[in-house]
Amino acid sequence: MNITSTHRSWAASGSLIAFALISLAVGLALLFGGFKLMRLGGSLYYFLAGAGYVVLAALFLLRNRAAWALSLSLLIFIATVGWALYDAPALAFWPLLPRLMVPAILLMLSLLTVATQPDMPSTARRASAGGGVALLAGVVVAVVAMFSPHGGIEGPGLGKPRVASIVPPQPDDWQFYGRNINGTRYIPYTQITPQNVANLKVAWVYHTGRRTKGPGAGVDENTPMQVGTTLYTCTPENVVAAIDADSGKEIWRFDPHAHTQEHVSCRGVGYHDITADESLTIEDRQAAADQPCAQRILVSAVDARLFALDAHTGALCPGFGNNGFVDLMQNMGPTENSKRYHPTALPVVMGHLAVIGGWVRDIVHGEPSGVVRAYDVRTGALAWAWDVGNPDNAVPPDANTPFTLETPNVWAIPTYDKALNQVYLPTGNGPPDYWGGDRDEVKNRFGAAVVAVDATTGKTKWVRQLIHHDVWDFDLPSQPVLYDVTNEKGEKVPSLIQTTKTGHIFVIDRRNGEFVTPVEERAVPTTPAAQGEHLSPTQPFSVGMPTIGADPLSEQAMWGVSTFDQLYCRIMFKNSVYEGPFTPPGEKPYIEWPSLLGGMNWGGISIDEANDILFVNDMRMPLRMMLVNHEDAKHYKISTDEVPGFMGTLRPQIAGPYSGVRIDILQSPLQVPCNTPPFGTMSAIDLRTKKLLWQVPMGTAEQLGPMGIKSHLPMPMGMPTLGGPTSTASGLLFFAGTQDYYLRALDSMNGKELWKAPLPAGAVAAPLVYKSPKTGKEYVVISVGGASHSPDVADDVIAFDLPTKE
């Protein structure tokens, strides 16, 4: 034997040993995990496949059994394909990928290993080499396919011509959080179109100077307000600035030196023009016309102060409260200098009143009040208070009377109905969140409900609860949107549309609280329940509207980047309590899906008013949770001074027999969610037919990959989303609330991405679109401060416009 032949023999032996070791490692891992899954009543595949790969390793080590080994390798793969087609909940790309990729690679390696063996017949070596190369090509095709969108839905109305209806006159300013008073976030302009949107460029960049480091720096959730030629923006710590709408140059800036420690954000500011306020007399309007603060900016600060600024100069309004400030902590209970209570939504201006809700920490009994209050925008005087302890407001608020503690709060943005003179309050729950064994009748009635109150007096008009006895932290997260919707009889009904964390969309008659689209009270599990708990036996299910991202989980629905983490996720699922929607919280690990993260969250919706299309984004992040009793809580570090993050920590929930709740994202060791992608989508719903028009994954894994490491791979898997969309009359939908750093424009009729612009960090605010009254230019503006839990933070407000024609 010559030296060359010897080297070839050693190389062939080395490849056999290498593959045998790989096969053995895979087999042992699948055997171990598969045995655990089998004991939990799960799939037998992993255990059997593991045994097959162990035998395969042994056969490859026996050089004279290479043909047998190759036959076994083919058999394992063929059986795997059959199992995958049977087991996958859908014959689609993402469900099949972790089931087939590793087995395909192992078969490819086995074929190429056999092709290197000199003692095999040449025809067998050539066939093995050809098969290995073919499989390699298949693997490459699969990898390439990762960079194309999968998991989208095309509804029955897609592609049908739309007949635009007559749209009521729209304001030219963006004076409210949802642009108009109804909250539809609809732009009646057509300068930027699907045909030219790709030409958008950066027009200007404004730096807010916000604090980006240290505790309590917060998250930038601000959608600037536009009035005439001026934008008004705020930082998470309520530094307010006026910006020229065409140049981005700062006009004035005001810093209230507002600080707190949790939920630090400013989603926007309120605006009031006394001279245009029809709720005031002509005499009052005329008298204020030449006075300072005739036009004013209202801000509810994170340190629980309400302040008013002259819209033209940024100076505090001296006739408002105490030198421009109103103390929102008065009579609220133990706020601990706003640590336990502060507003998280902007003041909603209703004529000459502004309504203010607030976030209340949900940890212990005796937390601050969740009362909602209205203040006179001119003086800062308290006009009324909606207090669950006095829901009918039979007794006017007294400056010295404390409000009822630990009541359902309104941290999302209310909506004002000028025609009906009602304000709609989306409520949360009275603390604590996850155990309600001692909740009284009033808390159970008003928690997780839309409540309509008289905008002048604050008296309760009607209550429509959307979650009964909520112990899942499913508080209503978004602004109710007012829009006329047809009922089953074809009648146009003045409606309110409320999205929820459960993925359900409820359409309610805003006159009386009755449902416009069908809703069913369905039985839900009530056992096993926590100690002393009394769960509702039914929950409302909105069956007349599409449900977004809430398909029930199963072992088969567990996902992973590979076979191994999919197996891990299956074990975690089978080792948890899951009874479908509204699985009862308990002391054994249980899965909450959809979770308290959403479903839909605070970003809300947009409605194309010309075509009656609703747009909504969502996130899909199941949680694995567990109530921890007082005795077991001794094993955790727990403090009521700060709400800890997810993953292995104990969120304090001191009530009844419990000290807290452990909250973990249901994810693999690679920190990838266990549910099948997409993890976040944008959906379009036809409000005429109540059908899903389209749904597309939103966002790529470019800035967030396994182990939280940036993958830099633009795979459009659909990532968890926050913020909200903005639609235009030209047929565009703008959105930036993805985990990657882009502002995108979609075709509103089919969801196709038409344009995207890179951003310096993530952006979770809704885009602002306006037309300058000075230049006639249409601008798209996004506040870029960083995505939640993202390491990259910025202080940019960026405007885009179309190039000026020479």
Side-chain angles (χ1 to χ4, degrees):
M1 181 180 295
N2 58 35
I3 295 175
T4 302
S5 300
T6 301
H7 284 172
R8 289 176 180 172
S9 178
W10 286 351
S13 297
S15 64
L16 279 174
I17 294 172
F19 178 76
L21 291 176
I22 293 172
S23 182
L24 179 63
V26 170
L28 291 176
L30 294 182
L31 267 177
F32 178 75
F35 180 71
K36 292 182 68 174
L37 180 62
M38 188 170 60
R39 289 189 61 186
L40 293 169
S43 172
L44 299 177
Y45 164 77
Y46 297 91
F47 181 78
L48 297 175
Y53 284 123
V54 169
V55 174
L56 182 64
L59 289 175
F60 265 103
L61 288 175
L62 299 172
R63 293 178 61 105
N64 59 346
R65 293 291 185 270
W68 290 14
L70 186 58
S71 299
L72 178 59
S73 185
L74 284 168
L75 179 62
I76 293 173
F77 183 73
I78 292 170
T80 297
V81 170
W83 166 80
L85 295 175
Y86 169 79
D87 184 72
L91 298 182
F93 181 79
W94 291 121
L96 291 174
L97 183 71
R99 291 170 167 84
L100 296 178
M101 181 61 85
V102 169
I105 291 173
L106 287 172
L107 176 59
M108 177 192 72
L109 292 176
S110 69
L111 287 167
L112 294 178
T113 299
V114 168
T116 65
Q117 303 309 303
D119 53 348
M120 290 289 293
S122 58
T123 53
R125 291 202 308 272
R126 285 195 296 270
S128 295
V133 170
L135 272 173
L136 176 60
V139 169
V140 171
V141 168
V143 171
V144 171
M146 294 180 189
F147 296 87
S148 298
H150 302 281
I153 298 174
E154 296 183 358
L158 188 65
K160 294 182 179 179
R162 307 289 297 177
V163 179
S165 59
I166 298 175
V167 179
Q170 298 281 330
D172 286 326
D173 296 332
W174 187 304
Q175 289 190 20
F176 298 89
Y177 176 71
R179 186 179 187 273
N180 52 33
I181 196 171
N182 293 332
T184 58
R185 211 179 285 144
Y186 172 71
I187 312 301
Y189 304 138
T190 57
Q191 188 178 113
I192 303 172
T193 67
Q195 290 72 38
N196 64 26
V197 67
N199 298 324
L200 283 177
K201 62 177 181 61
V202 174
W204 52 258
V205 179
Y206 171 76
H207 293 283
T208 67
R210 61 163 289 206
R211 185 164 63 92
T212 58
K213 296 180 180 179
V219 179
D220 187 349
E221 299 173 347
N222 165 61
T223 297
M225 172 184 289
Q226 173 257 330
V227 180
T229 59
T230 305
L231 305 187
Y232 299 96
T233 184
C234 63
T235 71
E237 294 182 301
N238 306 112
V239 177
V240 184
I243 308 169
D244 183 273
D246 285 291
S247 68
K249 293 182 178 179
E250 182 176 289
I251 301 170
W252 57 256
R253 171 187 171 92
F254 177 81
D255 187 352
H257 302 288
H259 307 289
T260 191
Q261 297 184 26
E262 299 175 23
H263 293 269
V264 184
S265 67
C266 180
R267 290 178 181 150
V269 300
Y271 176 82
H272 182 254
D273 183 352
I274 295 177
T275 65
D277 186 350
E278 296 177 355
S279 72
L280 302 175
T281 65
I282 295 177
E283 292 75 16
D284 286 342
R285 282 181 270 167
Q286 291 176 341
D290 298 325
Q291 300 298 314
C293 293
Q295 291 79 35
R296 61 185 60 195
I297 300 299
L298 297 156
V299 184
S300 48
V302 294
D303 60 356
R305 290 180 295 167
L306 174 66
F307 62 91
L309 304 173
D310 188 304
H312 304 289
T313 67
L316 286 165
C317 296
F320 186 84
N322 183 10
N323 295 320
F325 289 92
V326 171
D327 181 7
L328 297 178
M329 291 186 281
Q330 188 175 8
N331 298 327
M332 293 296 289
T335 63
E336 294 186 43
N337 292 324
S338 83
K339 184 192 294 187
R340 308 184 80 82
Y341 163 83
H342 58 256
T344 50
L346 66 159
V348 176
V349 176
M350 315 176 299
H352 66 282
L353 299 181
V355 64
I356 310 291
W359 168 87
V360 176
R361 188 188 289 176
D362 302 316
I363 291 179
V364 298
H365 288 308
E367 296 280 19
S369 178
V371 64
V372 177
R373 292 164 288 179
Y375 293 88
D376 192 308
V377 300
R378 301 164 297 173
T379 65
L382 181 63
W384 53 258
W386 183 78
D387 183 355
V388 168
N390 177 30
D392 297 321
N393 285 297
V395 180
D398 185 282
N400 299 314
T401 303
F403 298 114
T404 310
L405 299 182
E406 60 175 273
T407 52
N409 57 81
V410 177
W411 62 265
I413 297 172
T415 306
Y416 171 53
D417 186 335
K418 185 177 180 180
L420 295 176
N421 193 40
Q422 293 182 159
V423 59
Y424 303 101
L425 310 177
T427 71
N429 292 293
D433 273 330
Y434 306 101
W435 185 83
D438 58 4
R439 286 183 192 166
D440 58 27
E441 182 180 349
V442 173
K443 287 183 185 178
N444 275 326
R445 179 189 176 201
F446 288 102
V450 178
V451 182
V453 303
D454 187 284
T456 303
T457 66
K459 291 187 176 181
T460 302
K461 305 288 286 187
W462 53 259
V463 182
R464 173 56 65 183
Q465 189 170 69
L466 302 183
I467 310 290
H468 303 322
H469 192 77
D470 178 16
V471 289
W472 302 272
D473 197 10
F474 284 160
D475 39 75
L476 302 189
S478 59
Q479 179 186 30
V481 174
L482 311 185
Y483 195 71
D484 292 350
V485 178
T486 55
N487 60 17
E488 291 183 302
K489 298 178 181 178
E491 304 164 330
K492 278 277 188 181
V493 179
S495 302
L496 174 154
I497 301 173
Q498 180 66 61
T499 58
T500 66
K501 293 181 180 180
T502 63
H504 288 271
I505 302 171
F506 293 89
V507 184
I508 302 167
D509 188 327
R510 59 182 188 261
R511 298 168 298 184
N512 53 31
E514 298 298 319
F515 288 119
V516 175
T517 55
V519 173
E520 295 179 358
E521 283 284 337
R522 292 182 176 175
V524 294
T526 56
T527 56
Q531 298 180 47
E533 189 58 272
H534 46 85
L535 299 175
S536 172
T538 65
Q539 292 289 349
F541 284 71
S542 179
V543 298
M545 289 286 286
T547 301
I548 306 298
D551 292 341
L553 294 181
S554 64
E555 181 199 335
Q556 289 72 26
M558 294 297 98
W559 194 74
V561 174
S562 69
T563 301
F564 310 108
D565 51 324
Q566 184 178 48
L567 171 57
Y568 176 91
C569 286
R570 284 181 178 245
I571 293 170
M572 291 291 286
F573 179 83
K574 295 296 289 187
N575 205 25
S576 307
V577 177
Y578 178 69
E579 302 290 337
F582 304 101
T583 293
E587 295 179 35
K588 294 182 178 180
Y590 65 94
I591 293 173
E592 184 174 286
W593 167 264
S595 74
L596 59 92
L597 302 174
M600 298 91 162
N601 212 296
W602 57 264
I605 66 175
S606 179
I607 296 178
D608 178 341
E609 297 185 33
N611 289 299
D612 294 329
I613 302 175
L614 180 155
F615 305 100
V616 63
N617 57 289
D618 73 308
M619 70 170 75
R620 305 176 186 188
M621 295 281 286
L623 298 179
R624 191 172 187 258
M625 304 171 63
M626 178 177 66
L627 292 175
V628 180
N629 60 44
H630 298 312
E631 181 63 29
D632 292 340
K634 296 176 182 178
H635 302 294
Y636 294 86
K637 181 180 179 181
I638 183 171
S639 170
T640 58
D641 289 337
E642 182 179 359
V643 176
F646 292 135
M647 304 311 299
T649 61
L650 190 68
R651 182 174 182 177
Q653 286 285 286
I654 303 171
Y658 298 105
S659 291
V661 58
R662 177 165 171 162
I663 304 177
D664 300 281
I665 298 173
L666 183 63
Q667 62 183 6
S668 75
L670 296 178
Q671 298 180 15
V672 175
C674 284
N675 52 307
T676 303
F679 306 126
T681 70
M682 182 69 71
S683 299
I685 297 171
D686 188 331
L687 289 174
R688 299 173 186 175
T689 65
K690 317 301 187 295
K691 303 294 184 182
L692 190 68
L693 184 63
W694 53 258
Q695 184 177 95
V696 295
M698 284 304 301
T700 71
E702 185 174 341
Q703 301 292 342
L704 185 64
M707 306 302 294
I709 301 171
K710 295 182 180 182
S711 72
H712 301 289
L713 300 174
M715 293 183 291
M717 304 176 66
M719 305 298 281
T721 69
L722 280 174
T726 299
S727 59
T728 75
S730 64
L732 292 171
L733 187 71
F734 289 98
F735 184 69
T738 54
Q739 293 294 318
D740 54 2
Y741 304 165
Y742 293 98
L743 170 64
R744 289 177 167 86
L746 309 181
D747 187 314
S748 63
M749 295 307 297
N750 55 34
K752 181 182 178 181
E753 182 179 295
L754 301 175
W755 168 82
K756 68 178 181 181
L759 303 175
V764 295
L768 164 74
V769 182
Y770 65 93
K771 182 187 289 184
S772 167
K774 182 166 62 177
T775 64
K777 277 191 173 184
E778 189 175 330
Y779 293 90
V780 182
V781 174
I782 188 68
S783 188
V784 183
S788 298
H789 309 295
S790 169
D792 297 317
V793 183
D795 71 338
D796 303 56
V797 178
I798 304 176
F800 298 84
D801 69 354
L802 293 172
T804 302
K805 294 182 180 179
E806 299 295 337

